[in-house]
Amino acid sequence: MNWVRELRRLLKEARGKRTDDPDGLEGGLTCQEAADHLQEWLDSELDEEMAARVGVHLETCARCYPRLAFERAFREAVERAARAEKAPPDLKARVLQALESEGYREE
Amino acid sequence: MKESMSMRPADQHQAFSREALPELDSVHRFALRLAGDPSRAEDLVQETFLRAWESWEQYEPGTNCRSWLFTICRNLFFKEEETSRRRRALMDRETDLTAGSEPSGPESVLPTRFRRPDEIVFEDSVDDVLLEEIRALPREFSMVVMLSDVEGLTYREVADLLEVPVGTVRSRLSRARARLRETFASHAEARGWAVAV
C-alpha cells in the first residue's frame, strides 16, 4: 500500500533528524494522541495504518521518544524479572517420567 | 487408554517433544500465578502435560501450543478449586460452622498487600523487586501481565483464556503495569535516570 511505503520512507528520513519542533505532528498525530496509543502500539494491538502513524511519531518526536525508551526499558525489565522464575530442574524429569508411564517416548 | 497412547505414531511423540515440552517453564510460571503455591504449581504442571498428552490428537499442529496448554492448566486448576470449595462447604455444613467458603474462580482476588514505594529496598536489583511485585499483585492482575508481557499473548487470547471481555484485559493490564511501573521508576530515579512517566 502506498501510504505504508510513504510512512516508512518518512520514518527512515526522520530517524536521521529527530526534531525538537514543539508543534511537530509527526505521523500526523499530536503528542497526546501518540501517548494515548503507546501501550497498544507496544502490544501490537493497533491496525496497520494507525500502528505506522504512531510508530513514526514515537520514534521521531523529541518529546515522546524518552517516554518510549522508558516504556521499552520497563517492559524488558518486567519480562526479564518474570522469566527469572524457572521451573525447578527436577520438574521436567518428573513430568517426563509421568508421561512415559502413559506411553510417551521421548525421541 | 495407556496401550492406545503408546501405539501412537512416532510423529505424534516427536510433535509433542517439539511443541509441548519446550513450554514447561511457561506453563510453570502460569501455574505459579494461578496456584500461588510452588508445590501445588508443580503438581498442576505435571497434570497439565499428562492431560495434554492424552488429548494431543485434539491439538492442531502449528497453532498456539502455549495458549492451548494454559487453557488445560487453567481448567484443571478451577476444577480442583471447585471440588475443594464444595468439600469445604460440605464440611462447614456438617460442623455447623458459619464461616463462609473462600472465593474461587477467575474473578477471585487473593489476599495481598502492595508495598509502598518507600518500603522498597533500593539496594535490591530492580529485577528482584519487580518479580516480588508481580507475585504480590492480586491474581487476576498478575495473570494478565504474565500472559501479555511475558508470554506474548494478544489481548483477545488473554481474554479467551481468562473468560473475561477484552476491555477487562486492557484495564487490568493498565492497572497492573501502573503499579509495576511505579516501582521501576523509583529504581530508575534512584539511579539518576530522568523519568517521564
Side-chain angles (χ1 to χ4, degrees), chain A residues 38-82:
Chain A
L38 170 61
Q39 300 301 325
E40 287 174 305
W41 184 73
L42 284 170
D43 289 333
S44 305
E45 293 280 348
L46 294 174
D47 63 48
E48 198 179 357
E49 181 188 355
M50 183 54 96
R53 293 171 65 193
V54 172
V56 167
H57 187 104
L58 293 172
E59 297 273 13
T60 61
C61 172
R63 282 180 298 168
C64 293
Y65 190 76
R67 183 188 291 264
L68 172 63
F70 173 84
E71 195 62 27
R72 278 181 170 148
F74 163 64
R75 298 275 192 106
E76 281 168 16
V78 168
E79 184 176 351
R80 201 174 52 237

Side-chain angles (χ1 to χ4, degrees), chain A residues 39-40 43 45 71 74-75 80-83 85 87-88 94 98-99 101-105 107, chain B residues 2 5-6 13-14 17 21 25 28-29 33 42-43 46 49-50 53 127 135 150 155 170 177 181:
Chain A
Q39 300 301 325
E40 287 174 305
D43 289 333
E45 293 280 348
E71 195 62 27
F74 163 64
R75 298 275 192 106
R80 201 174 52 237
R83 285 191 184 280
E85 208 167 36
R94 185 181 144 188
L99 285 168
S101 73
E102 293 297 327
Y104 168 75
R105 302 184 308 276
E107 300 288 326
Chain B
K2 190 179 284 188
M5 284 194 287
S6 67
H13 294 256
Q14 288 161 1
S17 302
L21 287 177
D25 275 331
H28 179 251
R29 277 193 292 273
R33 297 282 80 74
E42 287 182 31
D43 290 345
Q46 179 172 325
F49 279 93
L50 282 174
W53 175 239
D127 290 9
R135 287 173 174 156
V150 184
Y155 294 171
R170 282 177 204 273
R177 282 176 180 160
R181 196 179 290 114

Side-chain angles (χ1 to χ4, degrees), chain B residues 18-133:
Chain B
R18 195 176 55 246
E19 293 203 49
L21 287 177
E23 303 296 347
L24 190 98
D25 275 331
S26 292
V27 175
H28 179 251
R29 277 193 292 273
F30 182 72
L32 267 178
R33 297 282 80 74
L34 264 178
D37 168 51
S39 167
R40 195 171 171 203
E42 287 182 31
D43 290 345
L44 202 48
V45 171
Q46 179 172 325
E47 288 168 40
T48 300
F49 279 93
L50 282 174
R51 187 62 59 90
W53 175 239
E54 276 175 29
S55 318
W56 188 240
E57 282 164 357
Q58 292 168 28
Y59 171 70
E60 285 180 44
T63 58
N64 192 337
C65 188
R66 185 180 298 171
S67 198
W68 185 69
L69 291 167
F70 288 166
T71 303
I72 294 173
C73 186
R74 173 200 172 279
N75 290 346
L76 284 169
F77 175 75
F78 285 117
K79 192 176 165 192
E80 282 177 17
E81 285 281 282
E82 180 60 15
T83 306
S84 306
R85 192 190 62 75
R86 285 185 184 162
R87 194 178 298 131
R88 280 195 302 270
L90 187 64
M91 285 170 67
D92 285 351
R93 272 203 302 275
E94 283 175 352
T95 54
D96 198 27
L97 292 177
T98 53
S101 58
E102 289 174 21
S104 67
E107 295 299 316
S108 70
V109 177
L110 296 182
T112 189
R113 130 174 210 283
F114 289 126
R115 297 187 308 167
R116 296 197 317 269
D118 60 357
E119 289 179 311
I120 293 166
V121 182
F122 282 89
E123 289 75 20
D124 285 356
S125 81
V126 68
D127 290 9
D128 289 345
V129 177
L130 277 175
L131 181 55
E132 272 197 46
E133 288 287 342

